[in-house]
């Protein structure tokens, strides 16, 4: 229990929602499955592009994003191996089932004039790379079999990261956690680094940090889709 098993959605900022939807649907071929106002966030909307039954690539557009300029080497990598700020996404790799599928995507991309690098054989996966709209660094990757950690954890890099043998053993065999059914109390909200709100919203949004789980769920839950279901439609 208690293990994540995939990306439900990865949310990427955009200043041009239509351009991103156009690229990922018409050029990559992914299906648009949601486009609606972000719950409880004024003037901000998001889109979801299907990766699988329970997985999406998402884009978020809000008014403040119009005035935030990308900074190469800080917010944007520039190329798929370039530097960015810690905690920022450096590039995203979407899974494909086979190299054949990857070549089909490459043909689609090249048909639309996009320069694509690869496939390249990395051993643990094969990959190809390109720049998506707004400087989003995009990879498509495919793996034939699960990664064998014995082969792909390099002692030289382990040492460089300051990881000793007992730590490495812990990292490879994470501790289990006894189920408590959601009963663990909320700690001090400042005990660990936490959300940082902009000054003008600090008072309003900061109140969230001191609410109960029930209060937050009541305030922020919006389970109803924006469009009523069409019953009996052909
Ligand atoms: Fe990658």
């Amino acid at each position: 229990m208690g293990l994540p098993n995939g990306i439900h959605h990865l949310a990427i900022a955009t200043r041009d929602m239509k351009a991103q939807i156009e690229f990922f649907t018409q050029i990559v071929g992914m299906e648009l499955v949601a486009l609606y106002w972000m719950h409880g966030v004024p003037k901000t909307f998001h889109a979801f592009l299907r990766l699988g039954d329970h997985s999406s690539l998402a884009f978020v557009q809000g008014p403040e994003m119009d005035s935030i300029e990308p900074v190469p080497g800080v917010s944007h990598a520039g190329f798929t191996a370039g530097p960015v700020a810690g905690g920022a996404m450096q590039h995203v790799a979407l899974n494909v089932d086979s190299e054949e599928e990857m070549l089909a995507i490459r043909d689609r991309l090249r048909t639309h004039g996009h320069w694509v690098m690869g496939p390249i054989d990395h051993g643990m996966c094969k990959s190809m790379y390109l720049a998506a709209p707004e400087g989003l660094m995009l990879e498509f990757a495919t793996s034939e079999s699960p990664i064998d950690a014995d082969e792909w954890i390099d002692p030289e890099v382990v040492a460089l990261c300051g990881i000793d043998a007992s730590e490495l053993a812990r990292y490879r065999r994470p501790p289990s956690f006894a189920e408590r059914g959601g009963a663990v109390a909320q700690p001090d909200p400042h005990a660990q680094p936490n959300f940082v709100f902009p000054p003008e919203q600090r008072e309003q949004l900061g109140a969230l940090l001191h609410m109960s789980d029930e209060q937050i769920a009541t305030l922020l839950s919006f389970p109803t889709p924006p469009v009523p279901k069409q019953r009996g439609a052909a």
Side-chain angles (χ1 to χ4, degrees), residues 106-124:
R106 190 178 73 177
D107 285 342
R108 286 186 75 135
L109 293 161
R110 287 183 172 169
T111 297
H112 289 86
H114 289 270
W115 183 88
V116 183
M117 183 174 78
I120 293 166
D121 190 351
H122 292 295
M124 60 170 268

Side-chain angles (χ1 to χ4, degrees), residues 203-225:
E203 198 173 328
Q204 189 194 2
L205 295 178
L208 291 168
L209 299 176
H210 302 283
M211 288 184 190
S212 68
D213 296 323
E214 291 75 16
Q215 287 172 316
I216 288 175
T218 301
L219 190 67
L220 299 181
S221 294
F222 299 87
T224 309

Side-chain angles (χ1 to χ4, degrees), residues 84-167:
V84 288
M89 189 182 75
Q90 200 268 342
H91 69 269
V92 60
L94 304 182
N95 184 64
V96 291
D97 282 339
S98 65
E99 194 172 354
E100 197 181 3
E101 292 263 5
M102 188 140 63
L103 293 177
I105 295 173
R106 190 178 73 177
D107 285 342
R108 286 186 75 135
L109 293 161
R110 287 183 172 169
T111 297
H112 289 86
H114 289 270
W115 183 88
V116 183
M117 183 174 78
I120 293 166
D121 190 351
H122 292 295
M124 60 170 268
C125 66
K126 288 181 179 172
S127 302
M128 65 180 192
Y129 305 88
L130 74 150
E134 299 180 282
L136 170 61
M137 291 296 105
L138 185 60
E139 172 181 349
F140 293 90
T142 187
S143 296
E144 282 178 6
S145 50
I147 298 168
D148 181 348
D150 287 335
E151 289 185 298
W152 289 99
I153 296 179
D154 183 342
E156 184 179 315
V157 180
V158 169
L160 191 67
C161 295
I163 297 169
D164 67 27
S166 69
E167 288 166 332

Side-chain angles (χ1 to χ4, degrees), residues 17-33:
M17 183 64 87
K18 188 178 173 184
Q20 292 291 0
I21 293 173
E22 180 76 18
F23 176 82
F24 280 97
T25 62
Q26 303 307 298
I27 300 179
V28 179
M30 292 161 61
E31 182 188 347
L32 177 69
V33 290

